[in-house]
Amino acid sequence: DMTVGDLTGADSMTGMAQAVLDAAPDRFALAGLSMGGYVALEIMRRAPERVLRLALLDTSARADTPEQSRDRRQLIELARQGEFKGVTPRLFPRWVHPSRVNDTALAETVMAMTQRVGRDAFVRQETAILSRPDSRPGLSRITCPTLVLCGQDDQSTPVAFHREMAADIPSARLVVVKECGHLSTIERPETVNREMRAWLTGD
């Protein structure tokens, strides 16, 4: 059985993590991409005994730099000014492999996803990301089998961040997906699905 956590209602990592934990079985495998990875690391702080396996995809254990925080505040302000539709075109080139920047179908898919989330939830999510802690000190305490996966050309959370996580998590396996940016699950779904099947089955 698979459940997708609702990360739209809270404006803090602790609130998002608790929402996932409240809806999840007693024991479960946990996967998170990008912001979902930040939430997954918060869950590992709060309830590591409930997580059988962990997958961290195109994410980071680091807190934002001052420059990243500034950019997020600008996006929040842009959204609050009623220009939410302008947020995705601004971010899209950072999220995909350079060869996909002009991929209209992919851009429309990502735009539709962000529109389903909506402006208010986007503001809550960016607010939560701004206040997230540095998760690196706790990585060595993660003991479950862990997949750390990212696109080779991820600009938002570079490969170096994933090497850092994989080096500090004792049971981690690092996978770098070629010709892929930040949105690995929709840019290279076949590769990601294959790696996640192996992660789930222990192969």
Side-chain angles (χ1 to χ4, degrees), residues 103-123:
D103 186 329
T104 302
L106 182 61
E108 289 176 350
T109 296
V110 174
M111 177 67 82
M113 290 166 57
T114 61
Q115 291 301 311
R116 284 196 299 273
V117 169
R119 181 190 65 185
D120 293 343
F122 171 81
V123 170

mmCIF file of all heavy atoms in Angstrom, residues 103-123:
data_model
loop_
_atom_site.group_PDB
_atom_site.id
_atom_site.type_symbol
_atom_site.label_atom_id
_atom_site.label_comp_id
_atom_site.label_asym_id
_atom_site.label_seq_id
_atom_site.Cartn_x
_atom_site.Cartn_y
_atom_site.Cartn_z
ATOM 1 N N ASP A 103 11.139 21.979 -22.818
ATOM 2 C CA ASP A 103 10.191 20.860 -22.942
ATOM 3 C C ASP A 103 8.822 21.349 -22.460
ATOM 4 O O ASP A 103 8.545 21.409 -21.263
ATOM 5 C CB ASP A 103 10.679 19.682 -22.094
ATOM 6 C CG ASP A 103 9.838 18.424 -22.262
ATOM 7 O OD1 ASP A 103 8.621 18.549 -22.522
ATOM 8 O OD2 ASP A 103 10.396 17.319 -22.113
ATOM 9 N N THR A 104 7.970 21.699 -23.403
ATOM 10 C CA THR A 104 6.677 22.304 -23.073
ATOM 11 C C THR A 104 5.803 21.361 -22.263
ATOM 12 O O THR A 104 5.148 21.776 -21.296
ATOM 13 C CB THR A 104 5.940 22.717 -24.362
ATOM 14 O OG1 THR A 104 6.775 23.623 -25.091
ATOM 15 C CG2 THR A 104 4.626 23.406 -24.034
ATOM 16 N N ALA A 105 5.775 20.089 -22.645
ATOM 17 C CA ALA A 105 4.931 19.124 -21.942
ATOM 18 C C ALA A 105 5.360 18.980 -20.485
ATOM 19 O O ALA A 105 4.516 18.937 -19.576
ATOM 20 C CB ALA A 105 4.971 17.770 -22.649
ATOM 21 N N LEU A 106 6.664 18.908 -20.254
ATOM 22 C CA LEU A 106 7.163 18.790 -18.886
ATOM 23 C C LEU A 106 6.853 20.060 -18.100
ATOM 24 O O LEU A 106 6.419 19.991 -16.940
ATOM 25 C CB LEU A 106 8.668 18.526 -18.896
ATOM 26 C CG LEU A 106 9.331 18.340 -17.531
ATOM 27 C CD1 LEU A 106 8.751 17.141 -16.802
ATOM 28 C CD2 LEU A 106 10.845 18.180 -17.690
ATOM 29 N N ALA A 107 7.054 21.208 -18.728
ATOM 30 C CA ALA A 107 6.758 22.484 -18.053
ATOM 31 C C ALA A 107 5.290 22.572 -17.677
ATOM 32 O O ALA A 107 4.937 23.014 -16.575
ATOM 33 C CB ALA A 107 7.152 23.651 -18.955
ATOM 34 N N GLU A 108 4.411 22.142 -18.577
ATOM 35 C CA GLU A 108 2.971 22.179 -18.289
ATOM 36 C C GLU A 108 2.614 21.239 -17.149
ATOM 37 O O GLU A 108 1.755 21.545 -16.317
ATOM 38 C CB GLU A 108 2.187 21.833 -19.550
ATOM 39 C CG GLU A 108 2.230 22.940 -20.601
ATOM 40 C CD GLU A 108 1.526 22.542 -21.894
ATOM 41 O OE1 GLU A 108 1.172 21.344 -22.033
ATOM 42 O OE2 GLU A 108 1.330 23.422 -22.751
ATOM 43 N N THR A 109 3.282 20.073 -17.093
ATOM 44 C CA THR A 109 3.043 19.127 -15.997
ATOM 45 C C THR A 109 3.423 19.742 -14.656
ATOM 46 O O THR A 109 2.671 19.664 -13.679
ATOM 47 C CB THR A 109 3.854 17.833 -16.225
ATOM 48 O OG1 THR A 109 3.385 17.190 -17.409
ATOM 49 C CG2 THR A 109 3.703 16.878 -15.047
ATOM 50 N N VAL A 110 4.594 20.375 -14.617
ATOM 51 C CA VAL A 110 5.063 20.987 -13.371
ATOM 52 C C VAL A 110 4.166 22.164 -12.984
ATOM 53 O O VAL A 110 3.809 22.337 -11.811
ATOM 54 C CB VAL A 110 6.534 21.436 -13.510
ATOM 55 C CG1 VAL A 110 6.988 22.202 -12.278
ATOM 56 C CG2 VAL A 110 7.422 20.220 -13.734
ATOM 57 N N MET A 111 3.772 22.974 -13.968
ATOM 58 C CA MET A 111 2.877 24.097 -13.699
ATOM 59 C C MET A 111 1.553 23.612 -13.115
ATOM 60 O O MET A 111 1.025 24.191 -12.146
ATOM 61 C CB MET A 111 2.619 24.892 -14.975
ATOM 62 C CG MET A 111 1.639 26.054 -14.802
ATOM 63 S SD MET A 111 2.273 27.374 -13.744
ATOM 64 C CE MET A 111 3.292 28.252 -14.937
ATOM 65 N N ALA A 112 1.007 22.539 -13.690
ATOM 66 C CA ALA A 112 -0.257 21.994 -13.186
ATOM 67 C C ALA A 112 -0.111 21.501 -11.753
ATOM 68 O O ALA A 112 -1.017 21.685 -10.924
ATOM 69 C CB ALA A 112 -0.740 20.866 -14.094
ATOM 70 N N MET A 113 1.019 20.902 -11.437
ATOM 71 C CA MET A 113 1.265 20.439 -10.068
ATOM 72 C C MET A 113 1.261 21.609 -9.097
ATOM 73 O O MET A 113 0.643 21.552 -8.028
ATOM 74 C CB MET A 113 2.602 19.694 -10.003
ATOM 75 C CG MET A 113 2.605 18.343 -10.695
ATOM 76 S SD MET A 113 4.287 17.692 -10.934
ATOM 77 C CE MET A 113 4.903 17.660 -9.260
ATOM 78 N N THR A 114 1.964 22.679 -9.460
ATOM 79 C CA THR A 114 2.036 23.817 -8.548
ATOM 80 C C THR A 114 0.685 24.511 -8.409
ATOM 81 O O THR A 114 0.349 25.007 -7.330
ATOM 82 C CB THR A 114 3.093 24.835 -9.018
ATOM 83 O OG1 THR A 114 2.740 25.331 -10.315
ATOM 84 C CG2 THR A 114 4.471 24.209 -9.089
ATOM 85 N N GLN A 115 -0.085 24.529 -9.482
ATOM 86 C CA GLN A 115 -1.411 25.151 -9.397
ATOM 87 C C GLN A 115 -2.345 24.341 -8.502
ATOM 88 O O GLN A 115 -3.191 24.908 -7.803
ATOM 89 C CB GLN A 115 -2.008 25.315 -10.794
ATOM 90 C CG GLN A 115 -1.301 26.358 -11.648
ATOM 91 C CD GLN A 115 -1.320 27.736 -11.001
ATOM 92 O OE1 GLN A 115 -2.358 28.216 -10.557
ATOM 93 N NE2 GLN A 115 -0.161 28.380 -10.944
ATOM 94 N N ARG A 116 -2.188 23.019 -8.514
ATOM 95 C CA ARG A 116 -3.006 22.189 -7.614
ATOM 96 C C ARG A 116 -2.662 22.466 -6.155
ATOM 97 O O ARG A 116 -3.544 22.454 -5.295
ATOM 98 C CB ARG A 116 -2.822 20.701 -7.938
ATOM 99 C CG ARG A 116 -3.547 20.242 -9.193
ATOM 100 C CD ARG A 116 -3.668 18.730 -9.248
ATOM 101 N NE ARG A 116 -2.373 18.059 -9.276
ATOM 102 C CZ ARG A 116 -1.683 17.800 -10.387
ATOM 103 N NH1 ARG A 116 -2.148 18.179 -11.563
ATOM 104 N NH2 ARG A 116 -0.531 17.158 -10.332
ATOM 105 N N VAL A 117 -1.401 22.699 -5.886
ATOM 106 C CA VAL A 117 -0.992 23.056 -4.517
ATOM 107 C C VAL A 117 -1.576 24.420 -4.141
ATOM 108 O O VAL A 117 -2.125 24.603 -3.061
ATOM 109 C CB VAL A 117 0.546 23.068 -4.401
ATOM 110 C CG1 VAL A 117 0.979 23.685 -3.068
ATOM 111 C CG2 VAL A 117 1.095 21.660 -4.530
ATOM 112 N N GLY A 118 -1.456 25.385 -5.034
ATOM 113 C CA GLY A 118 -2.056 26.699 -4.807
ATOM 114 C C GLY A 118 -1.163 27.661 -4.054
ATOM 115 O O GLY A 118 -0.182 27.277 -3.413
ATOM 116 N N ARG A 119 -1.552 28.939 -4.122
ATOM 117 C CA ARG A 119 -0.730 29.997 -3.546
ATOM 118 C C ARG A 119 -0.575 29.873 -2.040
ATOM 119 O O ARG A 119 0.530 29.975 -1.494
ATOM 120 C CB ARG A 119 -1.347 31.366 -3.884
ATOM 121 C CG ARG A 119 -0.536 32.536 -3.344
ATOM 122 C CD ARG A 119 -1.281 33.836 -3.471
ATOM 123 N NE ARG A 119 -2.487 33.829 -2.637
ATOM 124 C CZ ARG A 119 -3.377 34.816 -2.625
ATOM 125 N NH1 ARG A 119 -3.220 35.853 -3.421
ATOM 126 N NH2 ARG A 119 -4.434 34.747 -1.830
ATOM 127 N N ASP A 120 -1.675 29.686 -1.321
ATOM 128 C CA ASP A 120 -1.612 29.703 0.141
ATOM 129 C C ASP A 120 -0.750 28.560 0.673
ATOM 130 O O ASP A 120 0.054 28.759 1.597
ATOM 131 C CB ASP A 120 -3.021 29.630 0.732
ATOM 132 C CG ASP A 120 -3.836 30.888 0.439
ATOM 133 O OD1 ASP A 120 -3.238 31.922 0.070
ATOM 134 O OD2 ASP A 120 -5.074 30.826 0.565
ATOM 135 N N ALA A 121 -0.918 27.370 0.093
ATOM 136 C CA ALA A 121 -0.103 26.231 0.531
ATOM 137 C C ALA A 121 1.363 26.439 0.158
ATOM 138 O O ALA A 121 2.265 26.069 0.917
ATOM 139 C CB ALA A 121 -0.630 24.934 -0.071
ATOM 140 N N PHE A 122 1.604 27.051 -1.008
ATOM 141 C CA PHE A 122 2.979 27.358 -1.415
ATOM 142 C C PHE A 122 3.639 28.268 -0.384
ATOM 143 O O PHE A 122 4.790 28.037 0.015
ATOM 144 C CB PHE A 122 2.973 28.022 -2.794
ATOM 145 C CG PHE A 122 4.317 28.562 -3.204
ATOM 146 C CD1 PHE A 122 5.281 27.723 -3.735
ATOM 147 C CD2 PHE A 122 4.619 29.911 -3.049
ATOM 148 C CE1 PHE A 122 6.526 28.223 -4.116
ATOM 149 C CE2 PHE A 122 5.855 30.421 -3.426
ATOM 150 C CZ PHE A 122 6.804 29.567 -3.958
ATOM 151 N N VAL A 123 2.936 29.285 0.065
ATOM 152 C CA VAL A 123 3.489 30.210 1.069
ATOM 153 C C VAL A 123 3.775 29.457 2.362
ATOM 154 O O VAL A 123 4.832 29.652 2.995
ATOM 155 C CB VAL A 123 2.532 31.395 1.303
ATOM 156 C CG1 VAL A 123 2.974 32.219 2.523
ATOM 157 C CG2 VAL A 123 2.467 32.276 0.059
#
